[in-house]
Amino acid sequence: MDDPQPTIDGDLVRRLVDTQFPEWRHLPVSPVAFGGWDNRTFHLGDTNQAEVERQRQVIDEVLADHGRRA
């Protein structure tokens, strides 16, 4: 059975930004109209964006590259 895609929403992005980039926690997070096939993309304020990978396999590969596991 395939792993379901992780749930990626504005609340998750908010938590990630708040914990990993506290200097940006004041910036609003909102989804872009079309978030992409491989990534979910969110506006971070007026000039920045946050992209979060959707595919479990790619997430696992990135974590492995950094010596971590999901």
Side-chain angles (χ1 to χ4, degrees), residues 28-41:
V29 172
S30 60
V32 298
F34 176 71
W37 296 105
D38 296 325
N39 299 305
R40 288 291 317 273
T41 306

Side-chain angles (χ1 to χ4, degrees), residues 10-22:
D11 291 336
L12 172 65
V13 174
R14 172 85 281 148
R15 290 192 311 273
L16 290 170
V17 169
D18 289 354
T19 58
Q20 296 180 24
F21 303 98

Side-chain angles (χ1 to χ4, degrees), residues 39-63:
N39 299 305
R40 288 291 317 273
T41 306
F42 294 81
H43 296 287
L44 184 57
D46 293 329
T47 59
N48 299 305
Q49 67 182 25
E51 292 184 356
V52 181
E53 180 61 52
R54 295 175 62 163
Q55 304 297 323
R56 171 58 71 184
Q57 178 181 352
V58 176
I59 294 168
D60 291 341
E61 290 171 7
V62 169
L63 290 172

